[in-house]
Amino acid sequence: MILPIYTYGQAVLRKKAETVGKDYPGLKKLIDDMFETMYNAEGIGLAAPQIGLSIRLLVIDADLVSESHPECKDFKRVMINPEITEFSRETILLEEGCLSFPGIHEKVSRAVKIHVRYRDRDFNEQEEEVEGFSARVVQHECEHLEGEVFIDDISPIRRQLNKSKLNHIIKGTVACSYKIKPVG
């Protein structure tokens, strides 16, 4: 089922998400719905707060960008209760977008390599080192679980330059090809 994506201004995007228990009702169906929602919006990552649920769950399928970022080939993950335990000192500044911010793209500095621990779809514990653009996607989605969004990572001047676009998102007057749930 395709779910509406909560856009900038929704309180759930600023709330620290709760840990997911193994017995969370309908977890596998929710995961499937999140993938379907993400694919429908042509995204490569989606965190549960973006569909209005303040829980520590995210889905990623970065294969869509593997032509320009080969490390993303077959990088498809379900991450339940993810925790980034290490960030490389080396960072890179690249442009990002976010399904909760339709029409806004900004350069954000992120660690080139991370170490992440999480539970997979079957609730098995996983640990892996992720690098390149895949690491960027994991960091972006994990921020959502902390009540943070990518525009928090840009300069105040860049935020000011996007003020009109942000206001359109809040009012729900932004052009968008996928189903959204704006504040207004």
Side-chain angles (χ1 to χ4, degrees), residues 20-32:
V20 177
K22 188 174 186 174
D23 57 349
Y24 188 87
L27 183 60
K28 289 193 176 180
K29 167 94 168 81
L30 175 61
I31 290 166
D32 292 342

Side-chain angles (χ1 to χ4, degrees), residues 65-114:
V65 297
S66 63
E67 198 169 296
S68 54
H69 302 284
E71 70 276 15
C72 293
K73 181 79 177 143
D74 301 321
F75 190 83
K76 182 176 181 178
R77 303 284 189 278
V78 171
M79 294 185 173
I80 302 168
N81 303 323
E83 177 188 3
I84 299 174
T85 57
E86 288 179 46
F87 295 87
S88 67
R89 288 183 187 204
E90 184 185 359
T91 60
I92 188 168
L93 186 68
L94 287 175
E95 189 173 275
E96 289 184 19
C98 180
L99 296 176
S100 293
F101 291 80
I104 296 181
H105 295 86
E106 285 293 335
K107 289 187 175 182
V108 176
S109 181
R110 301 248 186 230
V112 170
K113 190 186 298 185
I114 59 169

Side-chain angles (χ1 to χ4, degrees), residues 87-144:
F87 295 87
S88 67
R89 288 183 187 204
E90 184 185 359
T91 60
I92 188 168
L93 186 68
L94 287 175
E95 189 173 275
E96 289 184 19
C98 180
L99 296 176
S100 293
F101 291 80
I104 296 181
H105 295 86
E106 285 293 335
K107 289 187 175 182
V108 176
S109 181
R110 301 248 186 230
V112 170
K113 190 186 298 185
I114 59 169
H115 188 270
V116 62
R117 183 178 23 223
Y118 60 94
R119 298 280 178 171
D120 65 17
R121 179 186 180 95
D122 298 315
F123 229 79
N124 296 313
E125 191 166 328
Q126 303 291 331
E127 280 192 57
E128 66 181 305
E129 195 170 88
V130 184
E131 58 186 298
F133 203 81
S134 299
R136 173 172 296 275
V137 178
V138 173
Q139 290 171 79
H140 176 110
E141 298 308 328
C142 283
E143 273 189 348
H144 280 296

Side-chain angles (χ1 to χ4, degrees), residues 11-48:
V12 70
L13 295 177
R14 291 302 193 173
K15 186 176 177 191
K16 186 171 173 139
E18 299 291 321
T19 300
V20 177
K22 188 174 186 174
D23 57 349
Y24 188 87
L27 183 60
K28 289 193 176 180
K29 167 94 168 81
L30 175 61
I31 290 166
D32 292 342
D33 290 347
M34 286 178 67
F35 272 116
E36 186 178 0
T37 299
M38 180 186 74
Y39 292 140
N40 179 69
E42 298 180 5
I44 59 174
L46 185 68

